Each structure stands twice: as structure tokens, then as C-alpha cells.
């Protein structure tokens, strides 16, 4: 009898796992279940679709269910929700959302790639037709339709993390007057303080109203069942549209109810082979998991498409009989906010302190090109290192074009354990249109050495 591998969930981790399992063991029957209509699409591209930079909606779809099934030889079951796992019997209960029928599906190996969900603000009115969370393709299509048909003039974005700041950019591009509400004093909490302040200046310069240290307490609902006002203790803000971007949380309830172990962030705990802890023959991958941080060697929760795909490959290969290991991950994330690039790699100073390092930080101002070049931009770089062994723990950058490219250098340096001294000695390209004589990455190491 053929080995049977069942995969629960789409987007990045699920299709990666399913395709890899089939490549490793072509004789295996692989079936992918997804409760939505789409299995493989770009989530990170959604703000640019909303802002009309991406105009063709079909380009967001990487694989249709039919295309994936044909090209990867994986059976795809969309609009099928998995509601129970019986690990001892090696079976799952599946609900067909089209006809309401319930079936029992048996497996040899099960891969959970259930992803995550947008956090809810839990205020009456959150379900109104002009209140949106930016997480799925279906939500993106709904928001785009609302923008095109209703043509809102004002919007409130709640949450000043990466999604929130991308959305204020996207909505402003459409000519909408935007208010950004942040629970924190400054946006993008993992950037250095100086960079956060510069980012606020950029946000305000682009005519976005920034309201810090504020919690939304109520929504005013109008006669058409639309939110017409957002309320805080101090303010009432009239609006035509609300975007809630206060973070995400792992979809791990299905796993937890079956006895699989979850961590402090609520994500599924896995070992280096992506085996879910607490159950045999079950793997997990992607945004439903907590994964080893290569700096702290402890589980962390983060939502990154690259990590989701990579862990999907490992889970798929091992479920099909392979023996590969996941070495761990670190945060490496970037965003464009109007005319600036913001990026962060590794740990922030706060996170380094919480992990019992002895962090020292230093911030420098550098240039994107040689100073005499037209269009030269400033770049602020904050470096975090461990005072004890001088290893780079993290870096945050904000500035013009080239900031994110330099963040990638720090991401590589952190993964490979480079020290301040080694950063200061890096041989980086010098070319006037692209870099000053001493690149900001190298200079960050030189200045940190002086500080020590």
C-alpha cells in the first residue's frame, strides 16, 4: 500500500511541503487540504496591490489549485476544513465546506501548515463591511473592491508595525487622508530610537496624522452598518475606512486540541526535523510554529514567507522519508515607507537584554552613495553587539535606497557569528553610484570598535 502524506494548509509552507514530499518520494500519495479557495499566493505583495502599484490581481496567485495539482502531482482539496486530529489512529476529520459532508482521512504522515491569523481588536463594529484585516487574498480582494467602488476619502490604520506602515503608504498613494494610531510611542518597535523618530518625521511629511500611545476603545457604527468613527479616550476620529494591523497569532488550536505541544507565543513546538512535539508521525511548518532563533537558541515566533517555505521543504522531505535538519532562523525584515527603506535583522537591544546578553549599541549616519553624487540619501544604522564576545546580535537601518541591501549584509554576518572586528574588516564594493568609500556596514564596525 502506498505511503499517504496529508498536508493541512496552503499559502507558503503547505504547498512547499507537499511539492517537496512528492519530489522526494514520487510513489507517495500527497493530498493538500485548504479551507479557503486559494492555495498559493503572495501575501507580502498585498499592500502594493491595494496601492495600485500591482494592477493585475491574477499576478498575486502563484499556483491555482488546478495548476498545482497538475504540475506537482499533488491532490488538492480546497474549501475543506480539517477540524480534528486523532494521532493514535493516524486520521483526521475533514469538513467539505461545499456540501457540508464530513469524512475521515487516514495518513502515514501528517504535515500541519495552518499559518496564522490577524489579531482581532475585539470591539463592537469590527465586523462592519468597511473594517479590514490584511492577511488573506480574499481579504485583499474585498478591500480593493471597497476602495474602487466606495472611494473612501479618509482612513484610520490601527497598528504601527510593518503591515500598518505599509498600508498608510498604500492608502496615501490612492489619495486618501490617513490617520495612523499606535499603542506605542513610536512606530516599528525593533528599530533604533533615532530611526523611529526619523520615520515619524517621514510619515508626517507625507501628510499622515500620527497618534502615538493611544488605544482604540470604540467604533461608531452608522446607519449603513459602516464604522463612521474611531474612538479613543481623548479623540473621536471620523472615518470612511478602518484597517486593523495589530499583529498576527499562530493558528495552532487544532494541534493543541490533539495533544501537540505549543510554546509561550501559542505556536506549535517542533524539533530540528520539524516533527511536532507531543505526537508521532506529525510534522509542522511555517507561521503556525515557533522556531529556534539561531542567536538565542530558544523558540521564537515570527511570520516570514521565506522561513515558512524553508520549513515546509524540510517537513515535506522528512515526511517522505528524508533526514534533513532546520538550523534555525533569525528575523530579517524590511519595508518601504514613502521615500524611506526600513529594515531590521537579528535582535533589538531590548530583545538582547531579555536574552541575557550584554548588549552595546551604536548608531551612525552614513550615505547611500558618494556624497557628490546626485540623489544621494542618508542612511541611519544602529548596530547591537554583545559586549562579552563582540559578536553582532542585530542591526536596524533606515534611509534611502540601499538601506535594505545593507541589512542583508548584517543578516549574513549575524547568521555566521561575525564580530565587530570582522565587520570592520569586510571588503565591500566601493562604487560612487552605489556606495561611499567606506560603506556604512564597515563604518558601523569601525565606530563600534572605538566605542569599546
Amino acid at each position: 500500500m502506498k505511503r499517504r502524506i496529508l498536508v493541512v494548509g496552503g499559502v507558503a509552507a503547505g504547498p512547499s511541503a507537499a511539492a517537496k514530499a512528492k519530489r522526494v518520494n514520487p510513489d507517495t500519495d500527497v493530498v493538500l487540504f485548504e479551507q479557503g479557495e486559494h492555495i498559493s499566493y503572495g501575501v507580502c505583495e498585498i499592500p502594493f496591490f491595494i496601492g495600485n502599484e500591482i494592477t493585475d490581481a491574477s499576478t498575486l496567485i502563484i499556483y491555482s489549485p488546478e495548476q498545482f495539482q497538475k504540475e506537482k502531482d499533488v491532490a488538492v482539496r480546497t474549501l475543506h476544513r480539517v477540524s480534528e486530529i486523532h494521532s493514535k489512529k493516524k486520521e483526521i476529520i475533514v469538513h467539505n465546506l461545499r456540501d457540508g459532508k464530513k469524512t475521515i482521512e487516514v495518513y502515514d504522515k501528517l504535515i500541519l501548515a495552518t499559518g496564522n491569523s490577524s489579531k482581532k481588536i475585539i470591539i463592537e463594529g469590527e465586523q462592519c463591511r468597511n473594517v479590514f484585516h490584511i492577511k488573506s487574498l480574499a481579504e485583499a480582494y474585498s478591500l480593493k473592491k471597497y476602495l474602487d467602488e466606495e472611494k473612501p476619502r479618509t482612513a484610520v490604520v490601527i497598528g504601527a508595525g510593518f503591515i500598518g506602515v505599509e498600508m498608510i503608504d498604500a492608502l496615501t498613494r490612492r489619495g486618501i487622508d490617513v490617520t495612523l494610531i499606535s499603542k506605542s510611542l513610536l512606530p516599528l518597535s525593533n528599530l533604533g530610537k533615532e530611526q523611529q523618530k526619523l520615520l515619524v518625521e517621514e510619515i508626517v511629511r507625507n501628510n499622515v496624522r500620527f497618534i502615538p500611545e493611544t488605544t482604540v476603545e470604540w467604533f461608531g457604527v452608522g446607519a449603513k452598518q459602516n464604522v463612521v468613527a474611531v474612538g479613543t479616550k481623548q479623540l473621536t476620529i471620523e472615518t470612511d475606512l478602518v484597517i486593523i494591523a495589530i499583529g498576527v497569532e499562530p493558528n495552532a488550536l487544532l494541534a493543541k486540541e490533539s495533544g501537540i505541544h505549543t510554546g509561550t507565543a501559542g505556536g506549535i513546538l517542533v524539533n530540528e526535523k520539524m516533527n511536532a512535539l507531543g505526537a508521532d508521525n506529525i510534522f509542522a511548518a511555517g507561521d503556525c510554529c515557533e522556531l529556534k532563533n539561531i542567536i538565542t537558541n530558544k523558540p521564537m515566533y515570527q511570520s516570514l514567507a521565506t522561513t515558512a517555505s524553508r520549513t515546509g521543504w524540510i517537513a515535506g522531505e522528512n515526511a517522505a522519508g528524508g533526514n534533513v535538519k532546520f538550523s534555525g532562523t533569525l528575523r530579517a525584515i524590511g519595508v518601504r515607507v514613502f521615500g524611506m527603506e526600513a529594515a531590521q535583522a537579528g535582535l533589538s537591544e531590548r530583545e538582547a537584554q531579555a536574552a541575557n546578553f550584554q548588549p552595546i549599541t551604536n548608531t551612525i549616519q552614513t550615505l547611500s552613495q558618494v556624497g557628490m553624487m546626485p540623489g544621494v540619501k542618508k542612511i541611519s544604522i544602529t548596530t547591537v553587539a554583545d559586549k562579552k564576545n563582540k559578536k553582532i546580535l542585530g542591526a536596524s537601518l533606515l534611509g534611502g535606497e540601499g538601506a535594505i541591501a545593507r541589512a542583508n549584509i548584517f543578516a549574513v554576518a549575524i547568521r555566521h557569528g561575525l564580530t565587530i572586528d570582522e565587520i570592520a574588516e569586510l571588503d565591500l564594493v566601493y562604487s560612487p553610484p552605489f556606495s561611499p568609500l567606506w560603506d556604512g556596514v564597515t563604518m558601523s564596525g569601525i565606530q563600534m570598535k572605538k566605542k569599546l
Side-chain angles (χ1 to χ4, degrees), residues 271-410:
N271 65 15
E272 59 190 0
K273 295 184 179 180
M274 304 310 296
N275 294 109
L277 303 186
D280 295 328
N281 302 303
I282 298 178
F283 297 81
D287 293 347
C288 60
C289 301
E290 294 182 31
L291 302 168
K292 186 181 83 170
N293 184 310
I294 63 167
I295 307 170
T296 65
N297 287 316
K298 294 177 181 178
M300 65 176 287
Y301 183 71
Q302 66 174 10
S303 177
L304 293 177
T306 48
T307 305
S309 284
R310 192 150 56 99
T311 54
W313 293 332
I314 292 171
E317 182 164 346
N318 289 339
N323 187 33
V324 291
K325 296 178 180 179
F326 178 66
S327 61
T329 186
L330 59 82
R331 185 192 302 111
I333 189 167
V335 65
R336 186 199 67 197
V337 190
F338 302 111
M340 285 188 161
E341 297 179 359
Q344 200 263 331
L347 303 179
S348 66
E349 182 180 15
R350 184 189 70 254
E351 290 170 327
Q353 287 171 340
N356 296 319
F357 289 104
Q358 298 177 32
I360 54 168
T361 65
N362 191 59
T363 299
I364 66 166
Q365 306 297 324
T366 183
L367 299 176
S368 60
Q369 308 161 273
V370 167
M372 64 193 76
M373 291 296 295
V376 64
K377 303 291 184 183
K378 293 179 180 179
I379 298 177
S380 170
I381 302 176
T382 296
T383 313
V384 183
D386 184 21
K387 188 174 182 179
K388 187 175 180 181
N389 60 22
K390 297 187 179 182
K391 284 187 178 182
I392 302 294
L393 301 175
S396 60
L397 300 90
L398 181 78
E401 186 176 354
I404 285 176
R406 289 168 173 86
N408 278 328
I409 300 173
F410 281 108

Side-chain angles (χ1 to χ4, degrees), residues 187-225:
L188 299 189
S189 60
N190 286 322
L191 294 186
K193 281 284 192 296
E194 293 305 313
Q195 291 145 5
Q196 290 178 291
K197 292 174 183 176
L198 289 171
L199 185 58
V200 170
E201 292 176 9
E202 178 73 2
I203 288 169
V204 173
R205 186 161 49 243
N206 282 274
N207 300 315
V208 172
R209 183 185 183 190
F210 179 63
I211 303 176
E213 295 186 294
T214 300
T215 301
V216 172
E217 301 201 341
W218 54 269
F219 290 142
V221 179
K224 295 181 180 180
Q225 290 304 299

Side-chain angles (χ1 to χ4, degrees), residues 390-429:
K390 297 187 179 182
K391 284 187 178 182
I392 302 294
L393 301 175
S396 60
L397 300 90
L398 181 78
E401 186 176 354
I404 285 176
R406 289 168 173 86
N408 278 328
I409 300 173
F410 281 108
V412 173
I414 294 164
R415 174 167 277 277
H416 293 282
L418 297 193
T419 65
I420 293 166
D421 294 337
E422 289 167 327
I423 285 283
E425 294 172 358
L426 287 178
D427 294 310
L428 299 179
V429 170

Side-chain angles (χ1 to χ4, degrees), residues 40-145:
S40 180
Y41 56 88
V43 175
C44 299
E45 292 79 6
I46 288 175
F48 309 101
F49 173 61
I50 298 303
N52 283 334
E53 292 180 82
I54 297 173
T55 56
D56 185 353
S58 67
T59 60
L60 293 178
I61 298 174
I62 300 166
Y63 284 102
S64 68
E66 297 77 16
Q67 181 188 9
F68 191 80
Q69 183 163 304
K70 182 179 179 181
E71 292 188 18
K72 306 299 181 182
D73 195 20
V74 170
V76 177
R77 305 285 183 264
T78 54
L79 294 173
H80 281 66
R81 185 176 70 246
V82 177
S83 60
E84 297 176 46
I85 301 170
H86 300 149
S87 58
K88 290 183 180 178
K89 295 181 181 179
K90 293 167 70 173
E91 64 184 32
I92 59 175
I93 308 299
V94 183
H95 290 252
N96 185 329
L97 302 180
R98 289 186 176 90
D99 59 20
K101 291 181 180 178
K102 189 186 296 186
T103 59
I104 297 174
E105 301 281 348
V106 297
Y107 63 83
D108 293 292
K109 303 291 181 182
L110 176 66
I111 302 173
L112 299 177
T114 47
N116 58 24
S117 298
S118 299
K119 288 182 179 178
K120 304 294 189 291
I121 206 163
I122 313 178
I123 292 175
E124 186 177 350
E126 188 169 7
Q127 302 306 316
C128 286
R129 58 187 291 271
N130 66 333
V131 178
F132 296 90
H133 299 85
I134 310 302
K135 187 67 187 72
S136 70
L137 190 58
E139 290 168 328
Y141 286 161
S142 295
L143 174 55
K144 187 69 178 295
K145 185 173 186 287

